[in-house]
Structure formats: structure tokens, C-alpha cells
Amino acid sequence: MGSSHVTKHKSRIFFVSILLCAGVASAADKPQAFTRADLASANSLLEKALADTTAYQLVESLTTEVGPRPAGSPGDKAAIAWGLREMQRLGFSNVHTVPAVVPHWASMPSEFSVLAPWPQTMPVLALGGSVGTGSEGIEADAVMVKDLAALAALPAGAVKDRIVFFSNRMERTRDGSGYGKAVAVRATGPSAAGALGAVGVVIRSISTSSNRLPHTGALRYAADKPRIPALALSNPDADALERQFASNKPVRLRIRSSSRDLPPMESANVAGEIPGSDLAQEIVILGAHLDSWDPGVGAIDDGAGVGIVMGVAKAIKDLGLKPRRTIRVLLFANEEFGTTGSKAYVESLGSAAANHVLGLEADFGAGPVWRLASRVEAADLPAVDQIFRALAPLKLVRGNNEGAGGADLEGLAKLGMPILEPTLDGTLYFDTHHTANDTMSQVDPAALRQSVAAYAVSAWLGAQYSGSWQKVMTPKPPRR
Amino acid sequence: MGSSHVTKHKSRIFFVSILLCAGVASAADKPQAFTRADLASANSLLEKALADTTAYQLVESLTTEVGPRPAGSPGDKAAIAWGLREMQRLGFSNVHTVPAVVPHWASMPSEFSVLAPWPQTMPVLALGGSVGTGSEGIEADAVMVKDLAALAALPAGAVKDRIVFFSNRMERTRDGSGYGKAVAVRATGPSAAGALGAVGVVIRSISTSSNRLPHTGALRYAADKPRIPALALSNPDADALERQFASNKPVRLRIRSSSRDLPPMESANVAGEIPGSDLAQEIVILGAHLDSWDPGVGAIDDGAGVGIVMGVAKAIKDLGLKPRRTIRVLLFANEEFGTTGSKAYVESLGSAAANHVLGLEADFGAGPVWRLASRVEAADLPAVDQIFRALAPLKLVRGNNEGAGGADLEGLAKLGMPILEPTLDGTLYFDTHHTANDTMSQVDPAALRQSVAAYAVSAWLGAQYSGSWQKVMTPKPPRR
């Protein structure tokens, strides 16, 4: 039967086919993470985003029409209404709120004077959560220390009944690492000084700016230590105060603040979606936070993040793209006072938290994006590499696999949700973060568009991934 | 007689000598303006000043130990004491004060809120000299106009009972010309609006900054027009207010200020000298002003000028140089509210004003100097050219002969005193001028040293000039 000949011929073809397939496999090492169509869409998204002003207009609208919106304030409520309205206007699906209880701290005007050796009045901001001084204020001699280690090294009783001035200056870095190193005095300095008998704390703002605008930010009182008032001075004034200490004369200060805690309030996270198709039950989170500090109007912290994530979803919609997984834009309540918004969101999920297969967060200013980092299992690193290649026109740096995303994704990350981190450039971020200067003037429209482009490509390809995003269950994910 | 031969020979030599002399004369055209020794001293001064920290230390001391010092305030008195003490410490001669009566305006905290369409509170400063609003404040609908011309072009009654917002933005320039073009709304806008029935004025600060810090500065009420309160907004807030107007909804504002005039006070100019030698009765003035606004500490306006002129005299003393003419360092009272300090100084001189043969003023920030301009008669232009050549290491631009010096030399300039103007670079000056940001952080030590060098060479050679500085009696001095 001719069948044997046919069979032999077929097996030769089969053998050649196997070789060809093997060749393809060794070029990509694995199955392709993304289809050609998805990569082409990613490129269209990138080009569209680079020319799209949606994000900028959203930040303008949020800062102009709502303005400051600290947790629990009237601005907080107005921001929620704004988020719902704008998501509906942009045509997002399943627009809804997820309630959250938030702390409500009244940040009242505060006063700071040097009484001796040379009287001077300097602008201050109370640290977030600070108790007040009583209306009569607090007058005391002052002790200057660089940081917490220097405070701990003082002889016993050295700061008793004194005001402690922490003088350490934050270092400027692109990745924000200078903030991480410097911020401990703000968070725990007040309790550390209170535990040693101090009556007040003044810190050099956690700031890289030479502007005479103090930076606030949350403190964390220890439950078992005396709560003492804590204020921040701008860098120029901290320099001037150091010069007063350099006189070697006693430095006497007066502080006054009526800041105080009020009862917690109801607030809400605001969510809206681009619905998925075959993997609709899997959620890709695009997060930013809706609350802000109130000296400024929250343009870079985190109006820009809000603009970026909403701008991404709008660009995907505008191009008529249908993601495989659901892309959920999530505007978190109360990032600044302990991320109770994102915690409430995670609690609300129950077992549905497992459906959150990938997260991206924008909470580090208005860009540009300079790096793509991640926090994924080893099996998914090739997909991240391919997303990085899709971002080639933006000339990013390939970051490591220790990306954190941001504070509001911490809860989901602890549950194993992988993270993609288009890293926003933080070089100038700490010039204006948590100050009156957090206004639209700090938002560069081109940098913001570039950031939307980087997030759009990352989120879109994250939603289209042909593999399955693996839960990251190791405390430290694999290094690249 | 051999004499005829000798004569013939001599006359031939004589002819050659005349030719040689004519050659020399045509090279310099006039007698040399400065001796070689004076030029060598100028070069030593330049080198010394570029390495000398006296000026910086003086600005630090003035801003740290005195701080804000508006006319009539306690800081004004403290600054006079500081000036006397420091001039004595530096070894100046004939240290003395020249009394002056100064206005005393109380710059109290002021408030500004947008009530509609979107409630927002924005930081403001009252313009210098503004009346207050009464404790209840003023609430009114607002009209936005670009400038005085736009106000004048409105239909009759358009601003009656309204608050007028002047929105024009100042242009950044090196020579401060942008300020000259923009400042009219601050000076005369309040009276122009008051004359049309407006109840208040808000201006976009005369500012090149994107910081959320308003700039104050003096207004000038017309004697015969209603006096209405006037406040300044920072550029970011003026932008935000423009966005509120862009909504095409009525913009309603509320302003409040308790600023007010108090009775005039005694103040004083502070003077000290490097005595002259053969021309000691001729005075070269080195002027700056001691007063400041009070949102900042007056580091660039005009602590830097104070540091420059005192630093110049100190450098001349340190090198043991004995000027021909007397160099008088003059720290003027109250430049900011109508230059009553320098006016009182001129009045105190009587006929001795004629002895003021040359003036230099430093009141445009902390440098660097980029140009040498002048206001001298044609006969003295070659001397200015030679001073310019002595400044060659600083690579300056040769300016024209329409130099103004500064506001505090106007009175003497009107009496014909020639001016040398080492021009301070004003590119960044209007970012911080008249704001809380006028602190030491805005003073670049190297630029300040360079400025001292430029002023030192100019003042020294001005004092050594072998000619006589001619009075400039023409309204417009000769062009170069």
C-alpha cells in the first residue's frame, strides 16, 4: 500500500516541523506572553496617551473644583462626588463606592517663634495627627539633635521639659530613598521625645526644597507614650534656627497650635471599570488616592495619580480596546492617615481578593516615568520584560523585581498580588510634597502625558497576558 | 657756525619726538584716568573680593539677628543698631546716623476666599499701605481684567461694588524691565478701581515664580480717590482663580485684612566711611537699603546690597588702600515706602550735596553682576571704559550710559551726581522679591562674592579718578 510511502513522507515533514517549532521556542524561550494584536494596541495606546490631555484636565478639575481634601473634611466628600461624576462622564462601567471609615484631624493654623537669642517668627505646619498646645501655647528652652539616634544618645534628662528640634536634612534622590531614610523623625520623633520628657517637637521638614514652605505629613504616636505637639519648619527656617543654636546662647522657643483629632468620619473609595472579556473575573487594579493634605490643593499628591489612572482607562476606552481582564480604576480614600481606605477595600473583598491578579499604583507625583520595576514570580518575569520592550519608545530603565507599587497596594500585595511599577521620577517630588506649593504649577503637562503612556501600556498588557499572573507568596520575590 | 648744522639736527630730532608724542596721545586720546598703581590695586581688590566671605556673613547676621525690618517696626530700630555696630566692628570711620521720618504701616495677616463657583481659600498678602477691610471683611462679586487699560475700557458701572482682579502676568527678564511693565497695577490699580466704585482689588503678584507665595509691594493711593483694600495672590492661585472665571459662572470673593497705617516713626540712615586723602571732601556713595518687607527676612532685598556695599569697604580697608575721595557706605532707611530715608539724607546735606561726586547702589538682589552701565557726562565716559576694562576678569557686558543706580540714588542723581551701575542679574530676582521666600536660601555665596568684586573695583576706581566727575545736568545723559 502506498500508505507507507505517504507515512514516511509525512513523518519527514513532521520532523522538519518539529525543528522549526523548536527554533521558534528557543527564540522566545516560552510561549509568547502577548499576541501581536495586543502589542500593536499597546503601541497605539502609547502614541495616543502621549498626545492626550485627559489626565491634565482631570487634575485641573479636581484641584480647582474640589481643592484640598483631607480625610474627613468637606473636601473629602466633594472629592468622592467628583470621582463618581467624572468616572460616569468618562463612560467607565460599574462606577461605585466602597465605604471606609477615616480619621479626621483638624489641621489648624500653628505658630512658632524663637524668643531668644534673636526673636524671629517662622511659618510652621503641624504634623498630621499632632495634638494641640492649648491656647496659651508652650514656651521652653530647646535642644537641637540631628536625628533619633542622636536623641537616644543624649544623657538622661537632657530634653526633660524642653522642645526638641530635629535638624537632619533629607537627601535628594530620584527613587525617593532619601525620604525613607529621613522620615523616621517625623513618624516616631514626637513619641521618642515625649518618652524622654520633652514638651514639644519641631522638625526640619522632610523636604528637598529651599522654599520657605514647611512640609506636613503624618506622625505616629506610640500608644504608651506621652503625646506632645509636633511642628515642621521649612529648610530655610531650619537653617536659620541652626544659626541661632550656633550662637551658643540658650535658644528659647514658643509654639502654639490648636490642631486636634475629631471623631472618625465616613468616607469612601471610588471605583470604575473597563470590563474584561474572557477573563473578566480577574481584576487589574489601577490605583491612586483621592485624599490630600490641605496646605496645598493636592495636584502632585495625588491629583496627578488620579489623573494618570483615569487617563489610562479613558485612553483604552477611546481606542475601543476590550481587555481580557477587567481593569479597575480605584481612587482610594485616606492614604495619608494610615491607608484606612485601601484597608477597608481589601476587607470588603473577602475571598474576592484572590481575583486581584495584578496591581499598578500612581502615587509619586506627576512624572515622568523613568523605570519599569515589578514584583512578580519568576515565571512571569519574561512577560514583564516584554512589557518593558513595548515601552521602548519611552526609553525607560529596566528596574528590579522589588517594586512596591505604593502604600495603597500594600494590603493586596501582602495577599500575593503581583505588582507592575512604572516608577515616577521623584527627583523634585519632595520639593513640594505635603506643602502649600502642591498646586497645578508643579505639574508639567508633557511629563504627565508620558506617565499616562507608561501606565497605559503596562496596564493594558497586564490585562492581556496570555499566561496567568502567579501569586507572589515569597516575602522577597525572585530577583531579576 | 656749526650751530646751523646742530640746529638742523636738533629740529630733525624734535620733529621725530613730536611724531612719537602724537602717537602716544592718539592711543590714549586724553590723560590716563587711573595710575598704574590704582589699576594694580583694583586688580588686588577684585581677587580679594572673589575669595572674601564678609558680605555673606553680614547678610547671614542681619537676617538671623534682626530678620524682618519694615520701616517703623521694631526690626527697623534693631537694624539701625546692627548697622552701627557692624560698621564700627569693621573699622569704618565717621560711623553715624542721619535721621529720617518714615511711614509705619501694620501689615496684618489677610484672608482671601473664593465663595463661588468653587469654594477655595488662598494665601494672600496685603499690598504695602493697603487699608483694611474692617473685621467683617468684604464679600462681593468679582470682575477680572488684565491690566489698567482693560479696566479703563470697561463700560461705565462695570466694577461698581465689585472686587477687581488684575490677572496680568509679569515677564521674566534679566534687567528687570518686566517688572517696570507690570508693576503699575500694584501701584495705581487700587485707586483706579476705587475711582470706578470698586470695593476691593486683588492682583496677580508682580512675580515670575511658580511658588504659592504672594508678593507684596507698595501701592500708591491717589489723594482724591476712594481708598480700597488691595491684596496679592501668588501665580498658582491667580491661575486657579482664572480657571474659576473660565467656568463662566459668577465668581464671588471674600477678602479680609486688618492692615492699616500707624503714625509715622523716627528711623535713620546709617553711614560709615573710608576717609579720602587729597580729595577727601569729595564723596563716593555706596548705597543699599536697610529696611525690608516682613513676610521674609530681607536677604535679597536688600540684605545682599547691604552685604555688598559693606563688603566693598571692608575689602578696601583690609588691603590698606587709601582712596583719594571719601567712600561713604550708606544704608538707607525706608526704601520700600517711598524712599523717605534717602530723601531725608539729601535734605540733610544742603549745599554739601554737591560734594557727592559719584554714586553706586546695590538693590537688585544677590548677584552676579553681569553688566557695567553708567550715567556720566561724555568727558567721563573714557574713565568708565577703563573701569570696564579693569573688570575684564568678570566678563561683564558694557552697558549703556542710561544707568539709574537705584531708587535711593534718585534724589542725588537729580542734583547731577554721576552714577556707576554694576548691574545685578535680575533673572531670578522677582521669584522671591517681597515674599516669605526672601531668605538666605536665595543667596548664592559665589554670586555674592562676584558682586562684591564688581562693586569694589568700580567704587575704588571711581574714588581714584584723575579727572573730575562732571555733574550730569542733562535730563538724558550722552549715549555711548
Side-chain angles (χ1 to χ4, degrees), chain A residues 78-165:
Chain A
I80 294 165
W82 177 91
L84 291 170
R85 183 192 81 198
E86 290 299 307
M87 285 193 183
Q88 274 151 355
R89 183 179 68 82
L90 296 174
F92 297 176
S93 301
N94 189 22
V95 175
H96 65 286
T97 58
V98 179
V101 174
V102 299
H104 187 199
W105 175 73
S107 68
M108 308 302 285
S110 302
E111 297 168 14
F112 174 90
S113 298
V114 184
L115 304 178
W118 299 300
Q120 294 258 8
T121 300
M122 300 173 178
V124 280
L125 288 174
L127 295 185
S130 176
V131 297
T133 58
S135 58
E136 71 289 355
I138 294 172
E139 187 182 317
D141 287 344
V143 175
M144 176 169 72
V145 293
K146 191 182 166 203
D147 53 19
L148 292 167
L151 177 71
L154 289 177
V159 303
K160 181 148 173 42
D161 300 327
R162 304 291 181 96
I163 293 171
V164 172
F165 167 47

Side-chain angles (χ1 to χ4, degrees), chain B residues 432-457:
Chain B
T432 51
H433 163 261
H434 298 187
T435 71
N437 236 355
D438 185 357
T439 70
M440 283 311 292
S441 295
Q442 307 303 326
V443 179
D444 172 41
L448 190 67
R449 291 195 303 270
Q450 186 267 12
S451 303
V452 175
Y455 274 81
V457 168

Side-chain angles (χ1 to χ4, degrees), chain B residues 64-342:
Chain B
T64 307
E65 298 173 34
V66 177
R69 44 199 184 278
S73 71
D76 186 3
K77 288 205 175 358
I80 295 164
W82 177 92
L84 291 170
R85 184 192 82 197
E86 290 299 307
M87 285 194 183
Q88 274 150 356
R89 184 179 68 81
L90 296 174
F92 296 176
S93 301
N94 189 23
V95 174
H96 65 286
T97 58
V98 179
V101 173
V102 298
H104 187 198
W105 175 71
S107 68
M108 309 301 284
S110 301
E111 296 168 14
F112 175 90
S113 298
V114 185
L115 304 178
W118 299 299
Q120 294 259 7
T121 299
M122 300 174 180
V124 279
L125 288 174
L127 295 185
S130 175
V131 298
T133 57
S135 58
E136 69 291 354
I138 294 172
E139 188 182 317
D141 287 343
V143 175
M144 176 168 73
V145 292
K146 192 181 166 203
D147 52 19
L148 292 167
L151 177 70
L154 288 179
V159 303
K160 180 147 174 41
D161 300 328
R162 304 291 181 98
I163 294 172
V164 173
F165 167 47
F166 287 105
S167 67
N168 189 41
R169 191 183 189 106
M170 172 187 168
E171 183 195 353
R172 187 185 296 282
T173 57
R174 194 178 198 182
D175 64 359
S177 56
Y179 187 69
K181 285 178 205 159
V183 77
V185 297
R186 191 191 78 204
T188 62
S191 282
L196 297 173
V199 293
V201 158
V202 180
I203 70 166
R204 178 190 286 271
S205 290
I206 313 304
S207 164
T208 49
S209 170
S210 63
N211 286 317
R212 200 186 197 195
L213 289 167
H215 298 232
T216 186
L219 54 72
R220 289 199 311 270
Y221 285 129
D224 58 344
K225 298 290 188 302
R227 299 187 168 212
I228 61 174
L231 309 174
L233 283 172
S234 70
N235 273 320
D237 284 319
D239 292 343
L241 185 54
E242 286 199 22
R243 288 194 292 272
Q244 298 240 10
F245 276 98
S247 70
N248 288 320
K249 293 170 187 161
V251 173
R252 193 156 180 87
L253 303 177
R254 182 179 166 77
I255 61 176
R256 193 160 72 156
S257 176
S258 50
S259 297
R260 61 190 183 281
D261 276 325
L262 300 173
M265 298 281 281
E266 281 290 333
S267 181
N269 307 288
V270 178
E273 298 175 355
I274 311 294
S277 49
D278 61 313
L279 297 174
Q281 77 287 359
E282 294 189 15
I283 309 288
V284 174
I285 288 287
L286 262 175
H289 68 85
L290 204 45
D291 65 313
S292 78
W293 292 96
D294 64 1
V297 295
I300 65 154
D301 186 15
D302 185 26
V306 169
I308 289 167
V309 297
M310 291 175 76
V312 166
K314 173 66 163 32
I316 291 171
K317 267 195 70 70
D318 281 355
L319 287 182
L321 301 176
K322 310 285 183 198
R324 298 184 67 201
R325 296 173 181 82
T326 295
I327 294 175
R328 180 174 294 168
V329 174
L330 196 44
L331 307 183
F332 292 106
N334 183 40
E335 188 272 341
E336 300 292 358
F337 278 94
T339 65
T340 58
S342 57

Side-chain angles (χ1 to χ4, degrees), chain A residues 238-298:
Chain A
D239 292 344
L241 185 55
E242 285 199 23
R243 289 194 291 273
Q244 299 240 10
F245 276 98
S247 70
N248 288 318
K249 294 171 187 160
V251 174
R252 194 156 179 86
L253 303 178
R254 183 179 165 76
I255 60 176
R256 193 159 72 157
S257 176
S258 49
S259 297
R260 62 191 183 280
D261 276 324
L262 299 173
M265 299 281 280
E266 281 291 332
S267 181
N269 307 289
V270 178
E273 297 175 354
I274 312 293
S277 49
D278 61 314
L279 299 174
Q281 78 288 358
E282 295 189 15
I283 311 287
V284 173
I285 288 286
L286 260 176
H289 68 84
L290 204 45
D291 63 314
S292 78
W293 291 96
D294 63 1
V297 295

Side-chain angles (χ1 to χ4, degrees), chain B residues 45 57 73 175 182 203 241 358 370-371 373 393 408 423 465 476:
Chain B
L45 257 179
Q57 287 165 359
S73 71
D175 64 359
I203 70 166
L241 185 54
L358 185 67
W370 67 281
R371 181 175 74 175
D408 279 321
T423 316
Y465 182 33
K476 269 212 152 184

